[in-house]
Amino acid sequence: MSEKLRWGVLSTANIGLKKVLPAMQQGRFTTVTAIASRDLKKAKEAATALNIPKAYGSYEELLADPEVDAIYNPLPNQFHVPWTAKAAEAGKHVLCEKPISLTVAEAKTLLEVRKRTGVKIGEAFMIRSFTQWLHVQELLRSGRIGQLRSVAGFFSYYNDDPKNIRNQVECGGGALLDIGCYCIQAARYGFGREPKRVIGLVDRDPAFKTDRLTSALLDFGSGQAIFTCSTQLVPYQRVQFFGTKGRVEIEIPFNAPKDRPTRIFVDETGELFGSGIKTEVFPTADQYTMQGDAFARAVLDDTEVPVPLEEAIANMAVIEAIFRSAETNRWEKPDPQA
């Protein structure tokens, strides 16, 4: 293996072409050497546009390339586990887009694959490697806002296109799987543990059958988290962490811009007009570059990836419990052993 991790990409998905791949090309420890599509023309066009040396007309051809060390899997949700498993069986490390699966049981099948192949498999929650989130964790652990007691999150956009996979049940569409998973990740990240029980409320689009508006309450024992996510609301996102002595707010928690600094707000006074709020600014950076480098360093140094399978399964367990709660109208316990 070279000093940089050599990546191959499965599909010409928009998130890869527009965000992840250009960022990985700028990485200190990453380089993108190949891209594959079921349509060779699309693969060649993407390779030319992004200056990627190799283009393949099938995923199998890419997986057989000995000059590819790792695979980035941005395929539709229902293909995450099958193609992550195939990549691992081919001896490639895998960074798979979130959610890593559609169910806990499906995600758990990757544990045996990882054990058998010895490769590293991670879920692509880019926030876990990004500067502002790393700082927030340090801030929370330092006790600067006292004991964390509540996390509040909101994440929404508006998309009512029936052709979009986010509005297709069979593709794992809907608000909770697409963006609510970030709010769950934020709450678990903040408390540093798993919720004991959750309760959820889901509103489904009458035509798409996907959840277009989902809210949940997560009980962490020592505190609680609430969030709302939607695929049919005005675009907005925020995460706030409330402690016994202060509050931290992340201005743009998930779609952090790559062309300007990011900011968090720290309030240690509780003054309602905001005079006590301190703004902390982080230099311009690309969260996808940092994600790629963090995963690559884990491979090159043989350490743990930022979001390993166990973390992905735990997040999926909360998602499943919220969906169950919406059906049973009662508290449900996340079960990563399901």
Side-chain angles (χ1 to χ4, degrees):
M1 190 178 298
S2 65
E3 294 182 357
K4 285 192 173 187
L5 198 67
R6 300 169 298 182
W7 289 85
V9 184
L10 299 181
S11 92
T12 53
N14 278 337
I15 187 172
L17 299 185
K18 295 181 178 181
K19 295 182 178 181
V20 181
L21 303 189
M24 279 187 171
Q25 293 285 52
Q26 303 302 314
R28 179 180 176 187
F29 303 105
T30 61
T31 183
V32 182
T33 61
I35 187 168
S37 171
R38 294 299 192 191
D39 185 332
L40 180 58
K41 181 181 178 182
K42 287 185 177 180
K44 288 182 175 180
E45 289 174 349
T48 299
L50 295 173
N51 196 30
I52 298 172
K54 301 179 184 180
Y56 292 109
S58 75
Y59 303 148
E60 291 85 354
E61 287 181 272
L62 188 150
L63 296 184
D65 188 338
E67 295 182 342
V68 170
D69 305 313
I71 297 296
Y72 169 59
N73 180 358
L75 290 164
N77 294 344
Q78 75 270 31
F79 298 126
H80 283 178
V81 168
W83 282 101
T84 292
K86 289 179 181 180
E89 296 288 1
K92 314 298 186 185
H93 306 284
V94 186
L95 177 63
C96 181
E97 266 304 330
K98 55 77 202 164
I100 202 164
S101 65
L102 298 181
T103 66
V104 169
E106 186 187 28
K108 286 179 64 181
T109 64
L110 293 175
L111 292 172
E112 176 57 32
V113 172
R114 184 184 64 182
K115 181 179 179 180
R116 183 172 62 255
T117 61
V119 303
K120 296 184 184 296
I121 301 176
E123 190 174 28
F125 274 110
M126 68 290 181
I127 62 174
R128 291 287 297 271
S129 305
F130 194 46
T131 315
Q132 63 178 353
W133 280 92
L134 296 173
H135 181 72
V136 166
Q137 186 179 56
E138 292 175 359
L139 191 154
L140 295 176
R141 301 295 180 263
S142 72
R144 185 170 165 186
I145 64 168
Q147 181 185 6
L148 181 65
R149 296 284 289 150
S150 179
V151 178
F154 199 100
F155 197 0
S156 63
Y157 59 78
Y158 197 96
N159 182 339
D160 61 359
D161 178 6
K163 295 181 181 180
N164 192 289
I165 60 173
R166 292 170 180 81
N167 293 319
Q168 298 174 7
V169 172
E170 64 274 16
C171 294
L176 188 56
L177 283 168
D178 188 39
I179 54 178
C181 59
Y182 282 106
C183 296
I184 296 169
Q185 180 72 225
R188 293 175 52 249
Y189 184 73
F191 281 107
R193 64 176 70 92
E194 302 305 320
K196 296 181 177 181
R197 56 179 184 160
V198 306
I199 195 163
L201 185 63
V202 170
D203 173 52
R204 294 189 179 275
D205 184 283
F208 305 148
K209 308 303 179 184
T210 54
D211 63 305
R212 61 182 177 184
L213 177 64
T214 294
S215 297
L217 173 62
L218 285 57
D219 177 9
F220 286 88
S222 63
Q224 303 162 2
I226 58 172
F227 74 84
T228 292
C229 58
S230 176
T231 58
Q232 294 182 23
L233 283 180
V234 60
Y236 186 74
Q237 55 185 264
R238 278 293 192 279
V239 172
Q240 296 197 63
F241 301 88
F242 298 88
T244 52
K245 297 180 181 178
R247 173 182 66 88
V248 178
E249 177 179 354
I250 305 181
E251 182 182 29
I252 306 178
F254 309 121
N255 295 121
K258 63 179 182 180
D259 59 350
R260 68 192 72 181
T262 54
R263 304 188 301 177
I264 67 170
F265 308 117
V266 183
D267 184 0
E268 297 176 86
T269 67
E271 201 279 318
L272 295 181
F273 291 99
S275 62
I277 294 176
K278 298 177 181 178
T279 301
E280 298 191 13
V281 181
F282 302 90
T284 300
D286 192 316
Q287 61 185 345
Y288 294 104
T289 300
M290 298 183 75
Q291 173 184 250
D293 273 347
F295 188 94
R297 286 199 305 270
V299 172
L300 297 171
D301 298 338
D302 194 20
T303 56
E304 188 57 272
V305 296
V307 187
L309 282 177
E310 290 79 4
E311 275 273 324
I313 292 168
N315 218 61
M316 180 54 63
V318 179
I319 291 172
E320 279 196 348
I322 291 171
F323 277 135
R324 286 200 309 271
S325 174
E327 295 293 328
T328 64
N329 293 315
R330 63 172 183 251
W331 288 95
E332 294 286 346
K333 181 180 179 181
D335 184 7
Q337 303 306 317

mmCIF file of all heavy atoms in Angstrom, residues 47-89:
data_model
loop_
_atom_site.group_PDB
_atom_site.id
_atom_site.type_symbol
_atom_site.label_atom_id
_atom_site.label_comp_id
_atom_site.label_asym_id
_atom_site.label_seq_id
_atom_site.Cartn_x
_atom_site.Cartn_y
_atom_site.Cartn_z
ATOM 1 N N ALA A 47 -15.011 10.336 -14.463
ATOM 2 C CA ALA A 47 -13.561 10.245 -14.322
ATOM 3 C C ALA A 47 -12.868 11.430 -14.969
ATOM 4 O O ALA A 47 -11.917 12.002 -14.412
ATOM 5 C CB ALA A 47 -13.064 8.935 -14.929
ATOM 6 N N THR A 48 -13.343 11.812 -16.133
ATOM 7 C CA THR A 48 -12.762 12.964 -16.829
ATOM 8 C C THR A 48 -12.998 14.253 -16.048
ATOM 9 O O THR A 48 -12.080 15.071 -15.877
ATOM 10 C CB THR A 48 -13.371 13.093 -18.239
ATOM 11 O OG1 THR A 48 -13.070 11.919 -18.994
ATOM 12 C CG2 THR A 48 -12.817 14.314 -18.952
ATOM 13 N N ALA A 49 -14.227 14.434 -15.573
ATOM 14 C CA ALA A 49 -14.574 15.657 -14.855
ATOM 15 C C ALA A 49 -13.786 15.809 -13.564
ATOM 16 O O ALA A 49 -13.436 16.923 -13.171
ATOM 17 C CB ALA A 49 -16.075 15.685 -14.558
ATOM 18 N N LEU A 50 -13.497 14.687 -12.893
ATOM 19 C CA LEU A 50 -12.846 14.741 -11.589
ATOM 20 C C LEU A 50 -11.376 14.318 -11.646
ATOM 21 O O LEU A 50 -10.732 14.177 -10.606
ATOM 22 C CB LEU A 50 -13.598 13.848 -10.596
ATOM 23 C CG LEU A 50 -15.037 14.296 -10.281
ATOM 24 C CD1 LEU A 50 -15.735 13.256 -9.419
ATOM 25 C CD2 LEU A 50 -15.038 15.647 -9.588
ATOM 26 N N ASN A 51 -10.865 14.102 -12.853
ATOM 27 C CA ASN A 51 -9.452 13.733 -13.023
ATOM 28 C C ASN A 51 -9.122 12.430 -12.291
ATOM 29 O O ASN A 51 -8.103 12.315 -11.615
ATOM 30 C CB ASN A 51 -8.533 14.864 -12.541
ATOM 31 C CG ASN A 51 -7.109 14.703 -13.046
ATOM 32 O OD1 ASN A 51 -6.883 14.153 -14.131
ATOM 33 N ND2 ASN A 51 -6.153 15.187 -12.271
ATOM 34 N N ILE A 52 -10.004 11.448 -12.442
ATOM 35 C CA ILE A 52 -9.800 10.119 -11.866
ATOM 36 C C ILE A 52 -9.206 9.225 -12.950
ATOM 37 O O ILE A 52 -9.747 9.140 -14.053
ATOM 38 C CB ILE A 52 -11.133 9.542 -11.349
ATOM 39 C CG1 ILE A 52 -11.686 10.427 -10.228
ATOM 40 C CG2 ILE A 52 -10.950 8.112 -10.847
ATOM 41 C CD1 ILE A 52 -13.087 10.044 -9.779
ATOM 42 N N PRO A 53 -8.091 8.555 -12.696
ATOM 43 C CA PRO A 53 -7.375 7.819 -13.750
ATOM 44 C C PRO A 53 -8.156 6.694 -14.420
ATOM 45 O O PRO A 53 -8.023 6.482 -15.625
ATOM 46 C CB PRO A 53 -6.155 7.255 -13.009
ATOM 47 C CG PRO A 53 -5.961 8.171 -11.844
ATOM 48 C CD PRO A 53 -7.339 8.581 -11.430
ATOM 49 N N LYS A 54 -8.967 5.939 -13.669
ATOM 50 C CA LYS A 54 -9.603 4.748 -14.227
ATOM 51 C C LYS A 54 -11.121 4.824 -14.133
ATOM 52 O O LYS A 54 -11.676 5.317 -13.153
ATOM 53 C CB LYS A 54 -9.129 3.494 -13.491
ATOM 54 C CG LYS A 54 -7.634 3.254 -13.538
ATOM 55 C CD LYS A 54 -7.280 2.007 -12.756
ATOM 56 C CE LYS A 54 -5.779 1.780 -12.684
ATOM 57 N NZ LYS A 54 -5.456 0.561 -11.904
ATOM 58 N N ALA A 55 -11.775 4.287 -15.167
ATOM 59 C CA ALA A 55 -13.229 4.201 -15.183
ATOM 60 C C ALA A 55 -13.625 2.789 -15.576
ATOM 61 O O ALA A 55 -13.061 2.211 -16.515
ATOM 62 C CB ALA A 55 -13.816 5.203 -16.162
ATOM 63 N N TYR A 56 -14.588 2.231 -14.845
ATOM 64 C CA TYR A 56 -15.038 0.870 -15.119
ATOM 65 C C TYR A 56 -16.540 0.845 -15.405
ATOM 66 O O TYR A 56 -17.304 1.643 -14.852
ATOM 67 C CB TYR A 56 -14.746 -0.046 -13.928
ATOM 68 C CG TYR A 56 -13.278 -0.302 -13.686
ATOM 69 C CD1 TYR A 56 -12.622 0.255 -12.587
ATOM 70 C CD2 TYR A 56 -12.545 -1.104 -14.552
ATOM 71 C CE1 TYR A 56 -11.274 0.015 -12.357
ATOM 72 C CE2 TYR A 56 -11.196 -1.348 -14.331
ATOM 73 C CZ TYR A 56 -10.570 -0.793 -13.235
ATOM 74 O OH TYR A 56 -9.234 -1.029 -13.021
ATOM 75 N N GLY A 57 -16.951 -0.109 -16.238
ATOM 76 C CA GLY A 57 -18.358 -0.262 -16.584
ATOM 77 C C GLY A 57 -19.091 -1.254 -15.724
ATOM 78 O O GLY A 57 -20.243 -1.597 -15.998
ATOM 79 N N SER A 58 -18.435 -1.732 -14.656
ATOM 80 C CA SER A 58 -19.101 -2.608 -13.693
ATOM 81 C C SER A 58 -18.408 -2.478 -12.348
ATOM 82 O O SER A 58 -17.206 -2.183 -12.281
ATOM 83 C CB SER A 58 -19.070 -4.071 -14.150
ATOM 84 O OG SER A 58 -17.787 -4.630 -13.977
ATOM 85 N N TYR A 59 -19.158 -2.706 -11.291
ATOM 86 C CA TYR A 59 -18.585 -2.641 -9.946
ATOM 87 C C TYR A 59 -17.602 -3.789 -9.737
ATOM 88 O O TYR A 59 -16.578 -3.638 -9.048
ATOM 89 C CB TYR A 59 -19.686 -2.701 -8.890
ATOM 90 C CG TYR A 59 -20.742 -1.626 -9.031
ATOM 91 C CD1 TYR A 59 -22.060 -1.866 -8.667
ATOM 92 C CD2 TYR A 59 -20.414 -0.366 -9.520
ATOM 93 C CE1 TYR A 59 -23.031 -0.884 -8.796
ATOM 94 C CE2 TYR A 59 -21.369 0.619 -9.655
ATOM 95 C CZ TYR A 59 -22.681 0.353 -9.296
ATOM 96 O OH TYR A 59 -23.629 1.330 -9.428
ATOM 97 N N GLU A 60 -17.905 -4.940 -10.320
ATOM 98 C CA GLU A 60 -17.038 -6.099 -10.152
ATOM 99 C C GLU A 60 -15.632 -5.838 -10.696
ATOM 100 O O GLU A 60 -14.632 -6.255 -10.089
ATOM 101 C CB GLU A 60 -17.643 -7.318 -10.864
ATOM 102 C CG GLU A 60 -18.914 -7.863 -10.234
ATOM 103 C CD GLU A 60 -20.177 -7.141 -10.698
ATOM 104 O OE1 GLU A 60 -20.066 -6.135 -11.438
ATOM 105 O OE2 GLU A 60 -21.276 -7.575 -10.307
ATOM 106 N N GLU A 61 -15.549 -5.133 -11.827
ATOM 107 C CA GLU A 61 -14.235 -4.817 -12.404
ATOM 108 C C GLU A 61 -13.428 -3.941 -11.453
ATOM 109 O O GLU A 61 -12.213 -4.144 -11.283
ATOM 110 C CB GLU A 61 -14.406 -4.099 -13.737
ATOM 111 C CG GLU A 61 -14.860 -4.962 -14.889
ATOM 112 C CD GLU A 61 -14.967 -4.156 -16.168
ATOM 113 O OE1 GLU A 61 -16.039 -3.576 -16.426
ATOM 114 O OE2 GLU A 61 -13.950 -4.087 -16.896
ATOM 115 N N LEU A 62 -14.083 -2.973 -10.856
ATOM 116 C CA LEU A 62 -13.383 -2.087 -9.933
ATOM 117 C C LEU A 62 -12.876 -2.866 -8.718
ATOM 118 O O LEU A 62 -11.735 -2.688 -8.272
ATOM 119 C CB LEU A 62 -14.289 -0.943 -9.483
ATOM 120 C CG LEU A 62 -13.625 0.169 -8.657
ATOM 121 C CD1 LEU A 62 -14.320 1.501 -8.895
ATOM 122 C CD2 LEU A 62 -13.630 -0.151 -7.162
ATOM 123 N N LEU A 63 -13.725 -3.753 -8.174
ATOM 124 C CA LEU A 63 -13.330 -4.523 -6.991
ATOM 125 C C LEU A 63 -12.155 -5.449 -7.278
ATOM 126 O O LEU A 63 -11.414 -5.823 -6.368
ATOM 127 C CB LEU A 63 -14.514 -5.338 -6.465
ATOM 128 C CG LEU A 63 -15.708 -4.539 -5.943
ATOM 129 C CD1 LEU A 63 -16.764 -5.478 -5.371
ATOM 130 C CD2 LEU A 63 -15.280 -3.523 -4.891
ATOM 131 N N ALA A 64 -11.980 -5.805 -8.543
ATOM 132 C CA ALA A 64 -10.872 -6.691 -8.912
ATOM 133 C C ALA A 64 -9.560 -5.942 -9.157
ATOM 134 O O ALA A 64 -8.514 -6.567 -9.370
ATOM 135 C CB ALA A 64 -11.246 -7.490 -10.168
ATOM 136 N N ASP A 65 -9.593 -4.624 -9.109
ATOM 137 C CA ASP A 65 -8.399 -3.809 -9.372
ATOM 138 C C ASP A 65 -7.438 -3.889 -8.179
ATOM 139 O O ASP A 65 -7.762 -3.433 -7.077
ATOM 140 C CB ASP A 65 -8.820 -2.354 -9.613
ATOM 141 C CG ASP A 65 -7.668 -1.481 -10.081
ATOM 142 O OD1 ASP A 65 -6.488 -1.840 -9.844
ATOM 143 O OD2 ASP A 65 -7.933 -0.418 -10.673
ATOM 144 N N PRO A 66 -6.243 -4.427 -8.366
ATOM 145 C CA PRO A 66 -5.287 -4.548 -7.260
ATOM 146 C C PRO A 66 -4.710 -3.214 -6.803
ATOM 147 O O PRO A 66 -4.079 -3.142 -5.738
ATOM 148 C CB PRO A 66 -4.203 -5.456 -7.833
ATOM 149 C CG PRO A 66 -4.263 -5.210 -9.311
ATOM 150 C CD PRO A 66 -5.711 -4.997 -9.623
ATOM 151 N N GLU A 67 -4.909 -2.163 -7.605
ATOM 152 C CA GLU A 67 -4.377 -0.856 -7.235
ATOM 153 C C GLU A 67 -5.396 -0.003 -6.478
ATOM 154 O O GLU A 67 -5.186 1.186 -6.268
ATOM 155 C CB GLU A 67 -3.910 -0.121 -8.496
ATOM 156 C CG GLU A 67 -2.739 -0.815 -9.181
ATOM 157 C CD GLU A 67 -2.246 -0.064 -10.397
ATOM 158 O OE1 GLU A 67 -2.990 0.793 -10.911
ATOM 159 O OE2 GLU A 67 -1.099 -0.336 -10.825
ATOM 160 N N VAL A 68 -6.493 -0.623 -6.058
ATOM 161 C CA VAL A 68 -7.497 0.037 -5.217
ATOM 162 C C VAL A 68 -7.434 -0.572 -3.825
ATOM 163 O O VAL A 68 -7.561 -1.783 -3.658
ATOM 164 C CB VAL A 68 -8.915 -0.132 -5.814
ATOM 165 C CG1 VAL A 68 -9.972 0.335 -4.822
ATOM 166 C CG2 VAL A 68 -9.035 0.634 -7.120
ATOM 167 N N ASP A 69 -7.207 0.277 -2.823
ATOM 168 C CA ASP A 69 -7.092 -0.196 -1.445
ATOM 169 C C ASP A 69 -8.424 -0.167 -0.700
ATOM 170 O O ASP A 69 -8.670 -0.994 0.173
ATOM 171 C CB ASP A 69 -6.106 0.691 -0.659
ATOM 172 C CG ASP A 69 -4.757 0.788 -1.310
ATOM 173 O OD1 ASP A 69 -4.207 -0.258 -1.700
ATOM 174 O OD2 ASP A 69 -4.236 1.929 -1.446
ATOM 175 N N ALA A 70 -9.250 0.835 -1.021
ATOM 176 C CA ALA A 70 -10.480 1.045 -0.263
ATOM 177 C C ALA A 70 -11.602 1.466 -1.189
ATOM 178 O O ALA A 70 -11.370 2.054 -2.247
ATOM 179 C CB ALA A 70 -10.270 2.107 0.820
ATOM 180 N N ILE A 71 -12.817 1.185 -0.747
ATOM 181 C CA ILE A 71 -14.006 1.495 -1.530
ATOM 182 C C ILE A 71 -14.875 2.509 -0.787
ATOM 183 O O ILE A 71 -15.118 2.373 0.416
ATOM 184 C CB ILE A 71 -14.837 0.224 -1.790
ATOM 185 C CG1 ILE A 71 -14.043 -0.779 -2.630
ATOM 186 C CG2 ILE A 71 -16.170 0.563 -2.463
ATOM 187 C CD1 ILE A 71 -13.694 -0.294 -4.021
ATOM 188 N N TYR A 72 -15.337 3.518 -1.530
ATOM 189 C CA TYR A 72 -16.369 4.414 -1.012
ATOM 190 C C TYR A 72 -17.680 3.979 -1.651
ATOM 191 O O TYR A 72 -17.790 3.912 -2.884
ATOM 192 C CB TYR A 72 -16.046 5.867 -1.364
ATOM 193 C CG TYR A 72 -17.180 6.829 -1.091
ATOM 194 C CD1 TYR A 72 -17.710 6.966 0.191
ATOM 195 C CD2 TYR A 72 -17.731 7.592 -2.126
ATOM 196 C CE1 TYR A 72 -18.769 7.839 0.432
ATOM 197 C CE2 TYR A 72 -18.774 8.467 -1.888
ATOM 198 C CZ TYR A 72 -19.291 8.583 -0.603
ATOM 199 O OH TYR A 72 -20.338 9.435 -0.375
ATOM 200 N N ASN A 73 -18.680 3.666 -0.814
ATOM 201 C CA ASN A 73 -19.955 3.128 -1.276
ATOM 202 C C ASN A 73 -21.079 4.133 -1.041
ATOM 203 O O ASN A 73 -21.640 4.196 0.052
ATOM 204 C CB ASN A 73 -20.252 1.818 -0.544
ATOM 205 C CG ASN A 73 -21.576 1.198 -0.973
ATOM 206 O OD1 ASN A 73 -22.308 1.751 -1.791
ATOM 207 N ND2 ASN A 73 -21.890 0.036 -0.407
ATOM 208 N N PRO A 74 -21.447 4.927 -2.074
ATOM 209 C CA PRO A 74 -22.550 5.865 -1.954
ATOM 210 C C PRO A 74 -23.812 5.388 -2.690
ATOM 211 O O PRO A 74 -24.654 6.191 -3.080
ATOM 212 C CB PRO A 74 -21.988 7.114 -2.628
ATOM 213 C CG PRO A 74 -21.199 6.541 -3.773
ATOM 214 C CD PRO A 74 -20.670 5.187 -3.310
ATOM 215 N N LEU A 75 -23.917 4.066 -2.886
ATOM 216 C CA LEU A 75 -25.064 3.513 -3.589
ATOM 217 C C LEU A 75 -26.359 3.774 -2.816
ATOM 218 O O LEU A 75 -26.325 4.122 -1.629
ATOM 219 C CB LEU A 75 -24.877 2.000 -3.772
ATOM 220 C CG LEU A 75 -23.786 1.572 -4.761
ATOM 221 C CD1 LEU A 75 -23.441 0.101 -4.570
ATOM 222 C CD2 LEU A 75 -24.226 1.837 -6.192
ATOM 223 N N PRO A 76 -27.530 3.615 -3.451
ATOM 224 C CA PRO A 76 -28.787 3.725 -2.711
ATOM 225 C C PRO A 76 -28.789 2.806 -1.484
ATOM 226 O O PRO A 76 -28.126 1.758 -1.479
ATOM 227 C CB PRO A 76 -29.832 3.292 -3.750
ATOM 228 C CG PRO A 76 -29.227 3.697 -5.061
ATOM 229 C CD PRO A 76 -27.757 3.420 -4.897
ATOM 230 N N ASN A 77 -29.536 3.196 -0.470
ATOM 231 C CA ASN A 77 -29.470 2.530 0.836
ATOM 232 C C ASN A 77 -29.614 1.014 0.782
ATOM 233 O O ASN A 77 -28.960 0.283 1.540
ATOM 234 C CB ASN A 77 -30.528 3.112 1.763
ATOM 235 C CG ASN A 77 -30.269 4.555 2.117
ATOM 236 O OD1 ASN A 77 -29.161 5.059 1.917
ATOM 237 N ND2 ASN A 77 -31.269 5.247 2.634
ATOM 238 N N GLN A 78 -30.477 0.504 -0.094
ATOM 239 C CA GLN A 78 -30.721 -0.939 -0.117
ATOM 240 C C GLN A 78 -29.525 -1.722 -0.650
ATOM 241 O O GLN A 78 -29.460 -2.949 -0.510
ATOM 242 C CB GLN A 78 -31.982 -1.266 -0.934
ATOM 243 C CG GLN A 78 -31.831 -1.158 -2.447
ATOM 244 C CD GLN A 78 -32.154 0.225 -2.983
ATOM 245 O OE1 GLN A 78 -31.943 1.230 -2.308
ATOM 246 N NE2 GLN A 78 -32.670 0.287 -4.203
ATOM 247 N N PHE A 79 -28.553 -1.022 -1.246
ATOM 248 C CA PHE A 79 -27.357 -1.683 -1.761
ATOM 249 C C PHE A 79 -26.133 -1.487 -0.869
ATOM 250 O O PHE A 79 -25.040 -1.939 -1.220
ATOM 251 C CB PHE A 79 -27.047 -1.165 -3.172
ATOM 252 C CG PHE A 79 -28.131 -1.443 -4.173
ATOM 253 C CD1 PHE A 79 -28.678 -0.418 -4.923
ATOM 254 C CD2 PHE A 79 -28.603 -2.731 -4.362
ATOM 255 C CE1 PHE A 79 -29.681 -0.656 -5.849
ATOM 256 C CE2 PHE A 79 -29.608 -2.988 -5.289
ATOM 257 C CZ PHE A 79 -30.159 -1.951 -6.031
ATOM 258 N N HIS A 80 -26.305 -0.834 0.255
ATOM 259 C CA HIS A 80 -25.163 -0.575 1.123
ATOM 260 C C HIS A 80 -24.526 -1.865 1.639
ATOM 261 O O HIS A 80 -23.314 -2.081 1.507
ATOM 262 C CB HIS A 80 -25.583 0.312 2.299
ATOM 263 C CG HIS A 80 -25.730 1.747 1.922
ATOM 264 N ND1 HIS A 80 -26.142 2.718 2.804
ATOM 265 C CD2 HIS A 80 -25.514 2.397 0.744
ATOM 266 C CE1 HIS A 80 -26.181 3.891 2.188
ATOM 267 N NE2 HIS A 80 -25.813 3.712 0.945
ATOM 268 N N VAL A 81 -25.326 -2.715 2.245
ATOM 269 C CA VAL A 81 -24.774 -3.940 2.827
ATOM 270 C C VAL A 81 -24.280 -4.920 1.759
ATOM 271 O O VAL A 81 -23.146 -5.425 1.873
ATOM 272 C CB VAL A 81 -25.785 -4.613 3.771
ATOM 273 C CG1 VAL A 81 -25.341 -6.030 4.149
ATOM 274 C CG2 VAL A 81 -25.953 -3.774 5.039
ATOM 275 N N PRO A 82 -25.063 -5.224 0.713
ATOM 276 C CA PRO A 82 -24.572 -6.198 -0.272
ATOM 277 C C PRO A 82 -23.235 -5.821 -0.914
ATOM 278 O O PRO A 82 -22.335 -6.666 -1.014
ATOM 279 C CB PRO A 82 -25.698 -6.229 -1.318
ATOM 280 C CG PRO A 82 -26.918 -5.806 -0.582
ATOM 281 C CD PRO A 82 -26.454 -4.803 0.421
ATOM 282 N N TRP A 83 -23.101 -4.545 -1.308
ATOM 283 C CA TRP A 83 -21.871 -4.164 -1.997
ATOM 284 C C TRP A 83 -20.731 -3.868 -1.033
ATOM 285 O O TRP A 83 -19.550 -4.005 -1.397
ATOM 286 C CB TRP A 83 -22.121 -3.015 -2.962
ATOM 287 C CG TRP A 83 -22.760 -3.524 -4.215
ATOM 288 C CD1 TRP A 83 -24.074 -3.464 -4.562
ATOM 289 C CD2 TRP A 83 -22.103 -4.241 -5.258
ATOM 290 N NE1 TRP A 83 -24.282 -4.094 -5.766
ATOM 291 C CE2 TRP A 83 -23.086 -4.578 -6.231
ATOM 292 C CE3 TRP A 83 -20.781 -4.633 -5.490
ATOM 293 C CZ2 TRP A 83 -22.781 -5.290 -7.384
ATOM 294 C CZ3 TRP A 83 -20.476 -5.326 -6.657
ATOM 295 C CH2 TRP A 83 -21.464 -5.656 -7.585
ATOM 296 N N THR A 84 -21.042 -3.500 0.190
ATOM 297 C CA THR A 84 -19.989 -3.385 1.203
ATOM 298 C C THR A 84 -19.408 -4.764 1.481
ATOM 299 O O THR A 84 -18.179 -4.925 1.598
ATOM 300 C CB THR A 84 -20.554 -2.769 2.496
ATOM 301 O OG1 THR A 84 -20.901 -1.396 2.248
ATOM 302 C CG2 THR A 84 -19.542 -2.826 3.632
ATOM 303 N N ALA A 85 -20.269 -5.759 1.561
ATOM 304 C CA ALA A 85 -19.803 -7.128 1.789
ATOM 305 C C ALA A 85 -18.950 -7.623 0.618
ATOM 306 O O ALA A 85 -17.883 -8.229 0.816
ATOM 307 C CB ALA A 85 -20.997 -8.052 1.998
ATOM 308 N N LYS A 86 -19.388 -7.351 -0.611
ATOM 309 C CA LYS A 86 -18.629 -7.785 -1.780
ATOM 310 C C LYS A 86 -17.267 -7.091 -1.839
ATOM 311 O O LYS A 86 -16.259 -7.719 -2.206
ATOM 312 C CB LYS A 86 -19.420 -7.504 -3.054
ATOM 313 C CG LYS A 86 -20.637 -8.399 -3.233
ATOM 314 C CD LYS A 86 -21.395 -8.063 -4.510
ATOM 315 C CE LYS A 86 -22.624 -8.948 -4.667
ATOM 316 N NZ LYS A 86 -23.385 -8.648 -5.900
ATOM 317 N N ALA A 87 -17.241 -5.817 -1.484
ATOM 318 C CA ALA A 87 -15.964 -5.095 -1.477
ATOM 319 C C ALA A 87 -15.020 -5.671 -0.431
ATOM 320 O O ALA A 87 -13.819 -5.845 -0.686
ATOM 321 C CB ALA A 87 -16.216 -3.608 -1.220
ATOM 322 N N ALA A 88 -15.560 -5.963 0.735
ATOM 323 C CA ALA A 88 -14.732 -6.542 1.796
ATOM 324 C C ALA A 88 -14.206 -7.911 1.391
ATOM 325 O O ALA A 88 -13.035 -8.240 1.635
ATOM 326 C CB ALA A 88 -15.549 -6.645 3.083
ATOM 327 N N GLU A 89 -15.057 -8.711 0.754
ATOM 328 C CA GLU A 89 -14.622 -10.037 0.305
ATOM 329 C C GLU A 89 -13.528 -9.921 -0.751
ATOM 330 O O GLU A 89 -12.712 -10.833 -0.913
ATOM 331 C CB GLU A 89 -15.813 -10.817 -0.262
ATOM 332 C CG GLU A 89 -16.918 -11.123 0.744
ATOM 333 C CD GLU A 89 -16.541 -12.187 1.760
ATOM 334 O OE1 GLU A 89 -15.401 -12.692 1.706
ATOM 335 O OE2 GLU A 89 -17.380 -12.499 2.613
#
